[in-house]
Amino acid sequence: MTLITFLVSAIKFGMVLLFGSTGETITEKSGHLNLGLPGIMCVGTACGCIAEAIFFDLVGGRRGMENLAFLAVLIPILATLIGGALMGLIFSFLTVTLHANQNVTGLAMTTLGVGISDFLIASVDGYKFTAGAKFFNTSLPFADDLGAFGKLFFSYGIMIYLSIAVAIATSLVLNRTKVGLHLRAVGENPATADAAGINVTKYRYVATCTGSAIAGLGGLMFVMDYLNGNWEYVIDAIGWLCVALVIFTTWKPVFGIFCSIVFGAFYVAAEYIPGISLASKEIFKMLPFLVTIIVLIMISVKNKKENQPPASLGQSYFREER
Amino acid sequence: MNTVALELKNISKKFGDKYANKNVSLTLHHGEILAILGENGSGKTSMVNMVAGIYYPDEGEIFVDGNPAVITSPKDAFGYKIGMIHQHFKLVDVFSASENIVLGIKEPGKFKLSEVDKRVAEITQKYGFQLNPQKKIHEMSVSEKQTVEIVKVLYRGADILILDEPTAVLTPQEIEKLFEILRRMRDDGKSIIIITHKMNEVLSLSDRVAVMRKGEHIATVETKNTNEKELTEMMMGEKVELNIERSEPKNLVDRLVIENICSKNEEGLPVLNNVSFTARGGEILGIAGIAGSGQRELLESIAGLLPLESGSIIFNRPKKGLPVSFYHKSFTEVLALAEQGKFHYEDGTPVSFDGMHHAQIRELVNEGKILFNEDDVTNLRDKTPLEIRELGVRLAFVPEDRLGMGLVGNMDIVDNVMLRSYRRGKSVFLDRDNPHDLAMHLIKELNIVTPDEHTPVRKLSGGNIQKVLVGREIAAAPSVFMAAYPVRGLDINASYGIYNMLNKQKEQGVAVIFVGEDLDVLIELCDRIVVIASGEITGIVDARSTTKEEIGLLMTKNRLEGGSENE
């Protein structure tokens, strides 16, 4: 049974990462290396928590929330999406419109985002959004009747299924639709996309905002589901894990479902190995980054065009320059 | 049906304070091929870029089919059925041909790639292209990529096609095929604008020629009523001497002896196969061949950029019988070489410095009484460019990829000049004064057109970029000067400037290796011509007595046996 609990925990944590990496993949497919992801996830999460706290006040506490369980989940999600998208908008404005360097902007966004989220969370009463956690945790009623199978597949809150759905949908959009084709073109070769009549600026703005919004959901799920509504100041660390995960998935969201579980397993493994020292636990948390480095080496050695990052990743595009 | 398809009225465009185009007025009729002829930097490309929506004109109006058109983006251009095939292909490498072709098109209905493949196949059949719609761009040859570009604009239903120097990257056979297709399109009622430098192409393909000079439209003439001389005069604004001066080679020395070098590419296919020749100081050695026959690999292997499978590259400094001097060798080196028995006295007796004072040795050497026993030979194989330079071998290399390998586009002329000299001196700080002087000298001497010496070189026009590169390499006083397609994309005046520079080098005893594509130039400029085909040397001919036919035959000699026909 420990194995099942371990897997469940790995999947739960993995799906937190999956939101982040799917979001970042969408952003990176447009050619934006958004290193502001950790900060964006922080802000998105904080917005969700605050929305939940406000909702708590409006409906008159726990009892009121019980009656509006659906809204208790939907409102934080929407708030997170808006918060993440706004951060994405700032990033896009700085890099696309003002031509700022993407790396510098991203790192600044991370610092900014962590600060904003700390400030926001410090200004609300924690118990108010903690009250909403149980709605995020609600699993399908028949999960317990199905034994190990049920536990492995149906014991989760809504967010986990949402993250898988988003990853699959993203993959379909990227590979099967015109919009996806255009987005990939923008990330590979913006000059070409521009000459083909694709609005590079629009695609970069929209992709970055969408990606940031989705990434924020990862943080929300981490706090409301994985931590049962307790805010911990580690969301930025999860953000960095997501940035690494994107490389591990070789920019393929569906493959990311598997990869994120692997990352999740590494991250929670230490908890399930008896008699391990506190220091050794930290080594396990390092494993995802080690794996990322190995993957980077592998894709660089194999040098297959299809597994490479978008060709213009991290490069700004200005049309009138020759 | 001589109605006007496209009309430009008083179009002007400025970059900074410089006019790229000034008051250009031009008309294009339905069903004609209009060639645009002009020097580099004469504003041809920026003018058509305005029609294609890449730039927006500062002044003036554009009319399509008689109606005023506002073209602010390539998308608008497609709306007016204008399609441009750029000089540098705008294709996404990891996409298939069809994916690239369908990029940016808004069509109602479900997006299905197989449908696109079908329609692409229809277009290719109609005009006689050869193209596999599912092939990925990074697996394609240059000519295939160009085909994708053309099909792309046709797929969008373009009636006006603009081709920016489409033949620059093609082999003669591919050019012929392209022209065939363009004529078929014209007969189908399409209007075609073609930008080119090559006079014979203008004369054989176009219906009318528009000549541009310094951003202005000089005149448009019917091709059948004009000739090469008239067009050149219009283009230049002055008469141009068409003969390349060639001096008789003097004091020939075997400078670079290439012996049986072989190299393979990433896929393990041979790109150089048993190549042997000797480049002599005091002559220009031409290298002719169809594009991609191994010319680039050959030069890169000499420059120390490409590892070899086998063979040797011997750099020869003929020293036998010449006096030793401290100019070439340090004191300890002289002692070591003497010990190895590499020197002899004027009367032939071997040198031994045993028991001599340093002062005595210095005196003997300085008086020129110690002579070399043998030539100084160095094998450059498997040496890095830096090692080669440290050996005192002065190689100059003008690569075909000017802004990729030759210069740093974002740096100014001074900094680019410094790339060659920054290692000099012992100070922690760089010497910026000498490079600055050299940059100013180059600008003046070679008439480099630039706002100042601190303009990033990528902002200069192609010809001026090349002048910076060639000038810098020559300033390093090379003993071997290698240039790959140094006049590619350059106008006639700039080309002659380069020829003169090469000739000057030759007269100074430099071994010049010139990789060229224009056979007429090779025959007029070079002393000997090495012909290379599929990585093998098929002949070394005397440029003074050879003919174009002879070289052409050698160039295509074993192409059919080698398996690389889709190159």
Side-chain angles (χ1 to χ4, degrees), chain B residues 113-273:
Chain B
L113 214 51
S114 53
E115 288 296 316
V116 182
D117 288 346
K118 242 186 250 165
R119 280 187 56 193
V120 169
E122 276 168 31
I123 294 172
T124 52
Q125 242 164 22
K126 184 174 176 192
Y127 295 106
F129 296 103
Q130 280 171 347
L131 182 70
N132 172 6
Q134 280 157 10
K135 198 167 174 184
K136 293 264 161 68
I137 301 298
H138 64 88
E139 296 165 346
M140 289 186 177
S141 71
V142 177
S143 129
E144 279 177 292
K145 287 180 192 172
Q146 188 178 62
T147 307
V148 176
E149 285 283 10
I150 299 173
V151 175
K152 195 160 93 181
V153 299
L154 290 175
Y155 189 94
R156 272 146 233 258
D159 285 331
I160 299 170
L161 281 86
I162 304 166
L163 295 98
D164 190 2
E165 292 187 40
T167 58
V169 289
L170 301 182
T171 64
Q173 293 95 316
E174 288 166 346
I175 292 173
E176 217 17 77
K177 235 188 264 173
L178 172 70
F179 284 2
E180 204 55 44
I181 287 166
L182 291 182
R183 289 191 190 107
R184 219 170 292 168
M185 286 187 209
R186 170 188 60 192
D187 298 342
D188 194 41
K190 311 255 184 222
S191 310
I192 296 167
I193 296 179
I194 178 169
I195 295 181
T196 177
H197 289 297
K198 298 181 190 163
M199 199 66 79
N200 59 339
E201 293 175 5
V202 171
L203 294 172
S204 74
L205 181 71
S206 68
D207 300 308
R208 290 190 307 144
V209 194
V211 182
M212 309 246 331
R213 190 204 311 155
K214 291 185 179 148
E216 291 178 59
H217 176 222
I218 302 303
T220 301
V221 290
E222 299 265 333
T223 310
K224 57 177 186 281
N225 298 336
T226 187
N227 57 45
E228 200 168 333
K229 196 161 153 280
E230 190 190 21
L231 287 176
T232 314
E233 275 169 16
M234 275 199 277
M235 196 163 98
M236 299 315 216
E238 63 198 74
K239 202 179 170 332
V240 176
E241 191 68 34
L242 275 171
N243 298 317
I244 303 173
E245 281 174 38
R246 172 166 58 186
S247 56
E248 286 299 318
K250 289 180 294 215
N251 306 327
L252 288 175
V253 281
D254 289 0
R255 181 64 74 197
L256 199 60
V257 184
I258 314 279
E259 275 170 0
N260 300 319
I261 59 171
C262 299
S263 180
K264 289 193 169 132
N265 65 9
E266 280 165 15
E267 283 95 49
L269 300 169
V271 281
L272 291 176
N273 198 0

Side-chain angles (χ1 to χ4, degrees), chain A residues 175-178 181-182 184-185 188-189 191-199 305-306 319-322, chain B residues 13 53-56 72 74-75 78 90-95 99 102-105 111 136 138 156 458:
Chain A
N175 296 316
R176 292 286 167 80
T177 66
K178 210 66 160 292
L181 185 75
H182 291 182
R184 283 186 289 138
E188 288 290 338
N189 193 335
T192 298
D194 192 12
I198 297 169
N199 189 334
K305 280 262 184 193
E306 280 71 18
R319 181 193 289 172
E320 288 238 344
E321 205 150 273
R322 295 199 274 181
Chain B
K13 174 78 185 171
I54 302 288
Y55 302 144
Y56 189 73
T72 56
K75 210 163 150 185
F78 291 135
K90 307 219 164 185
L91 296 169
V92 181
D93 259 1
V94 294
F95 285 12
E99 282 178 313
V102 81
L103 207 60
I105 304 180
F111 168 62
K136 293 264 161 68
H138 64 88
R156 272 146 233 258
R458 94 191 123 77

Side-chain angles (χ1 to χ4, degrees), chain A residues 44-128:
Chain A
T45 313
C47 288
C49 290
I50 286 186
E52 188 77 317
I54 294 170
F55 180 65
F56 181 91
D57 284 340
L58 282 178
V59 297
R62 285 170 203 278
R63 190 172 295 274
M65 279 173 112
E66 296 282 353
N67 299 328
L68 294 163
F70 178 67
L71 283 181
V73 175
L74 188 64
I75 286 175
I77 288 181
L78 289 179
T80 301
L81 289 175
I82 292 168
L86 279 177
M87 289 292 278
L89 195 64
I90 299 176
F91 180 86
S92 309
F93 180 70
L94 288 170
T95 57
V96 179
T97 308
L98 300 184
H99 299 177
N101 177 295
Q102 291 184 20
N103 295 344
V104 178
T105 309
L107 293 174
M109 294 286 292
T110 288
T111 321
L112 174 75
V114 172
I116 292 178
S117 69
D118 287 359
F119 166 71
L120 289 176
I121 284 303
S123 44
V124 291
D125 295 323
Y127 72 89
K128 288 182 180 167

